[in-house]
Amino acid sequence: MAEEIKTAEDLKRLFGNYHGIADLVDKVSHEIDHINQLNLTAGGQNDDTAKAYKKVAGVGTQVLTDLAKTLRDMTASTGEGGQDAMKIFDAAKADAEHFATSWDKMVDEAKKAQKGEHKGDHKG
């Protein structure tokens, strides 16, 4: 079951995990390549059986190699995209905080100015 995201920090942490996943998939990919080499070497060299075996074994492991590469690329891309999205969220948060602070200052100044006008009205 998927983890529930409650805060932007949860989202940052989860997107950060994608790079680790991509690294693990990359390690698996290297192991698949190594197994493929062992598999093709164990199949023999030039006789008809070796050639037939390599045709079948090579295709199967190539599909697995391609799948691992696709998974690695997708997880790395998702991690990068997530980090880019978080930079946008962080910038939006900073802008919102700036505007809120500016608004509060403007409201306070308007209240002070309004109180000053009312004091002037009572003197007359």
Side-chain angles (χ1 to χ4, degrees):
M1 186 168 175
E3 185 175 342
E4 185 176 333
I5 298 171
K6 297 179 182 174
T7 66
E9 290 305 314
D10 289 342
L11 195 57
K12 283 182 187 179
R13 180 181 49 78
L14 292 170
F15 275 127
N17 290 341
Y18 277 90
H19 289 292
I21 294 168
D23 291 342
L24 289 173
V25 173
D26 192 46
K27 288 178 184 178
V28 169
S29 182
H30 290 296
E31 290 299 319
I32 292 169
D33 290 341
H34 179 69
I35 291 168
N36 187 34
Q37 289 303 316
L38 293 175
N39 198 14
L40 293 177
T41 302
Q45 295 301 322
N46 295 324
D47 61 5
D48 289 339
T49 303
K51 290 176 184 174
Y53 177 77
K54 286 181 181 183
K55 252 186 194 179
V56 174
V59 171
T61 54
Q62 186 60 49
V63 170
L64 193 53
T65 298
D66 292 346
L67 176 62
K69 181 186 180 314
T70 299
L71 286 172
R72 182 192 65 230
D73 292 348
M74 286 175 59
T75 53
S77 177
T78 301
E80 289 169 16
Q83 287 180 338
D84 290 346
M86 291 312 304
K87 287 176 186 174
I88 293 169
F89 291 156
D90 288 343
K93 180 181 175 185
D95 286 348
E97 288 171 351
H98 171 73
F99 292 135
T101 301
S102 297
W103 178 262
D104 288 343
K105 286 180 183 178
M106 187 177 69
V107 168
D108 288 343
E109 289 172 8
K111 286 180 182 178
K112 287 178 187 176
Q114 203 172 35
K115 283 182 183 179
E117 288 175 12
H118 290 308
K119 286 182 182 178
D121 289 343
H122 294 309
K123 289 181 180 178

